[in-house]
Amino acid sequence: MTTLHLKLLVWRQAGPHAAGRFVRYDAPDLSPDMSFLEMLDVVNERLIAQGEEPIAFDHDCREGICGSCGLVINGVAHGPMRGTATCQLHLRSFRSGQEVVIEPWRAKAFPVVRDLIVDRGALDRIIAAGGYISARTGGVPDANAVLVPKDDADAAMDAAACIGCGACVAACPNASASLFAAAKIAHLGLMPQGQPERPERVLRMVTQMDMEGFGNCTNIGECQEACPKLISIDVIARMNRDFLRASMFGGEGRVTGGGEA
Amino acid sequence: MELRARIPSGPLADKWDRHRFEMKLVNPANKRRYTVLVVGSGLAGASAAASLAELGYQVRCFCFQDSPRRAHSIAAQGGINAAKNYQNDGDSIWRLFYDTIKGGDFRAREANVYRLAQISVDIIDQCVAQGVPFAREYSGYLANRSFGGAQVSRTFYARGQTGQQLLLGAYQALCKEIARGTVVMHPRTEMLDLILVDGRCRGIVTRNLVTGEVLAHVADAVVLATGGYGNVFYLSTNARGSNVTATYRAWKRGAAFGNPCFTQIHPTCIPVSGDYQSKLTLMSESLRNDGRVWVPRQAGDHRAPHEIPEPERDYYLERKYPSFGNLSPRDIASRAAKEVCDEGRGVGPGGRGVFLDFADAIARLGRETIEERYGNLFEMYQRITDENPYRVPMRIYPAVHYTMGGLWVDYNLMSTIPGLHVLGEANFSDHGANRLGASALMQGLADGYFIIPVTIGDYLATTRLEKITTDHPEVRGAMEAVERRTSRLLSVRGSRTVDSFHRELGSLLWDKCGMARTAGGLTEALRRIPEIRAEFWENVTVPGSDAHLNQALEKANRVADYLEFAELMCRDALHREESCGGHFREEHQTPDGEASRDDDRFAYVAAWEYAGDGAEPVLHREPLVFENVQLAQRSYK
């Protein structure tokens, strides 16, 4: 069986306030059928066996849905394969002898926790600011009492597919979270159930996004290229329209509920 | 220990209503005086935390992931069952109840399962109100699909991402409460012990996974919604972080563990490809709606699938189970796959695989329809295997997926420790010895949205709790125990990695306590596990310290628990001298190889009580009484 030999250059950083640096690791005898994270597992097993601390990286489901993992690989968020989260990237996308540079998401709003792990709490706070429909448990109508045209449901699902990984932020030269916020705004705004809170929602979420230190969108489009779920930047145009309309006609104020940035 | 199931009296259909009326309520103004801890933020945990906070309780919620949105419920693909009968195909609450009891091979409680079926309809209403983008017909009405073990179409779905969408609904409801200040969220925090005061559960000890800080949280009640223990096998479809620690440590504090040997092996997963493999990936059961499962008739036939003509193929599920065919329940489909592979008819590298073929469906419905139904699953398959399933059949093999066993709970979802409630996959309650597809999401949300918000009120309203602080000696004791154990793990400094022990344990369990079990094999496992454990504590190496983010230490903590828990699982499997659902004892099968139950001896829940380290756990039996269904051999022929 053919094996691969990769030369890794990995960002190591002991903690949020420590200085980071790149460290070289040699990774021989890899299988092309390995996932990228399994390759890091193998490297870590070797490090631990030598008494060294393993490379810290976030991961969980390893099937591209939980959104935990996220690495910048050779300068590209989630690496070379389009529409694919890091955990679903396989070594067959690399050639033997290649140098592979591995970095964490880099954005002011995502401070490094350790090595390749960043704090993405800002994304949760954007949702907490208004990314929901306030339907208390119980006391709701029968599910078929509200009809949703199939095209709207499908478009809502396209946007709702966001896994909250933060690749859009990492890929954006402005470190904007617009694709993330806009995807949720589109998902809920496309459904009849989401209409009553629509103006408030966009005002609150956009305000929270600014408070967190994310940059603005300048329509570069890197985010949709990096998105593992291929969410289109059309949702950002929709968010901007909603924002403009809400600023002029609706919404009580700009108080966010997302918590301290 | 006394097992009081507290099943309400009266006719099955009236029990829950009657019970809700009979339970004591907490005055709305008093609810904010109570603090409830919810451990886990999956479907059960997030829905419980949000709903309890809406009612006015002070809630603290904990998860080990960096965000509650990443809990493993997110990975559920296929759908959620509900007895809506929107298809007019003869479904009813009674039918969903019956299918679930039968699917579980008559090893679940009638009253719990009936309640689950009743609540199923409310769940869909709730999720739609939250904006979950379920699949729709062109008319705008909700669409349904079929799932294994049922002959009606009652599964609601959002493409192949139903778990994700339901979890995001619950997560958003949770976020709304976090913003209101009624829930305090603790992400990257792991529960490592339970605090008992005067025999009641009064809190938890946690470790902050970023700083290593060990903290105690005291409260009036605790809810565990920490999922299943499938990762005891090392390779499973569970997320890498899913673990048994919370439920296992609750067991060691006195909560009975119900049916630990009931584990589900899912028939349609991508086969193992190498030693480095870190997890197995499920291909949704919904694929069996349109895919046909087959292997070559002849053992050792290594031709490419398209070169094997129809008469030389064995569509073994259609042949053996003509009325359910490819939609036979999971335990049966898994065993049948193992059987054909054991006969040497398996396909792919190593011969551990069977084909799941969409050629007929594509010819009948067109590629576009198949793409719309399963597009994201096909893509995922192609990314992992580098094969195009629109052209060549998928190769699949069974893998550990779900655990029906869990902490024993009464009808109120309270464990044998007063004040400790257990929801979702973490409890044992609804699926018996085999869970039907699309029922895990249903149970998680039923427990979290609709059951616990009512039953916890009854506990709080009827219990007098002294005020305690974190200075209490029991609290200090629990914290010190956690700190001692952590330093012990760090001080071994041996030469083997945690993963190497986990792999060794996993392959032993897969071999001896997996799809087929024997008395000899289980006895052998019970001899081997303590040896592996002893070596672990002498020779494991955990680099780094406890004062920073240390993933090796997190893993070591979890694996140390698996190394004890595995023994409980094997002991339970050995004692249950019958085959039922996913628990297949080779000694107990019918002449045609089906599971052979022994209702006279084993129609009970095995609830194990911890009796001290090194002592044999004590078995308690909760008899299962069937007043509404006839016990029968499960037939899907």
Side-chain angles (χ1 to χ4, degrees), chain A residues 38 45 57-58 60-63 66 92 124 131 136-138 142-144 148 158 160 164 184 187 193 257, chain B residues 51 54 67 70 84 86 125-126 128 131 140 159 165 171-172 179 188 240-241 278-279 383-384 497 551:
Chain A
E38 284 167 347
E45 281 286 283
F57 62 96
D58 262 328
D60 203 21
C61 79
R62 298 204 174 192
E63 41 191 85
C66 76
R92 62 182 82 94
D124 288 319
R136 280 179 60 109
T137 304
D142 183 87
N144 259 345
V148 182
D158 288 341
K184 187 48 66 186
H187 157 212
Q193 307 93 303
Chain B
S51 304
E54 284 170 6
S67 161
R70 308 201 198 285
K84 282 285 196 187
Y86 282 164
D125 298 344
Q126 183 64 33
V128 166
R159 294 196 189 142
Q165 294 310 314
Y171 156 78
Q172 287 159 204
R188 291 202 200 271
R240 293 276 284 170
S278 62
K279 78 153 291 172
R383 263 199 293 272
I384 293 172
T497 64
Q551 292 175 314

Side-chain angles (χ1 to χ4, degrees), chain B residues 98-223:
Chain B
Y98 182 76
D99 285 349
T100 309
I101 283 274
K102 176 187 170 195
D105 217 353
F106 305 95
R107 290 292 174 264
R109 263 188 216 144
E110 278 191 343
N112 285 56
V113 177
Y114 192 84
R115 173 176 65 184
L116 178 66
Q118 283 176 303
I119 291 175
S120 70
V121 298
D122 301 329
I123 295 170
I124 303 304
D125 298 344
Q126 183 64 33
C127 295
V128 166
Q130 289 170 345
V132 169
F134 283 121
R136 302 266 167 177
E137 308 288 355
Y138 279 102
S139 58
Y141 287 101
L142 287 154
N144 289 116
R145 58 166 54 141
S146 301
F147 248 69
Q151 287 174 315
V152 291
S153 188
R154 63 159 78 97
T155 304
F156 294 79
Y157 63 101
R159 294 196 189 142
Q161 290 141 271
T162 317
Q164 180 199 26
Q165 294 310 314
L166 296 177
L167 182 63
L168 292 180
Y171 156 78
Q172 287 159 204
L174 175 64
C175 283
K176 161 176 74 72
E177 295 304 311
I178 293 170
R180 285 209 311 140
T182 52
V183 176
V184 178
M185 188 69 217
H186 298 265
R188 291 202 200 271
T189 304
E190 185 152 50
M191 170 188 146
L192 292 181
D193 208 349
L194 204 64
I195 296 165
L196 269 73
V197 175
D198 299 330
R200 293 182 182 280
C201 178
R202 295 301 304 274
I204 62 172
V205 179
T206 59
R207 180 169 180 273
N208 179 318
L209 299 182
V210 177
T211 64
E213 188 184 17
V214 173
L215 269 184
H217 304 262
V218 297
D220 299 293
V222 173
V223 175

Side-chain angles (χ1 to χ4, degrees), chain B residues 4 60 96 112 121 138 339 362 485 544 569 595 601 608 615:
Chain B
R4 285 184 54 222
R60 269 177 264 163
L96 175 54
N112 285 56
V121 298
Y138 279 102
E339 204 177 281
I362 291 170
R485 182 181 159 107
M569 226 171 97
R601 290 177 63 210
W608 296 89

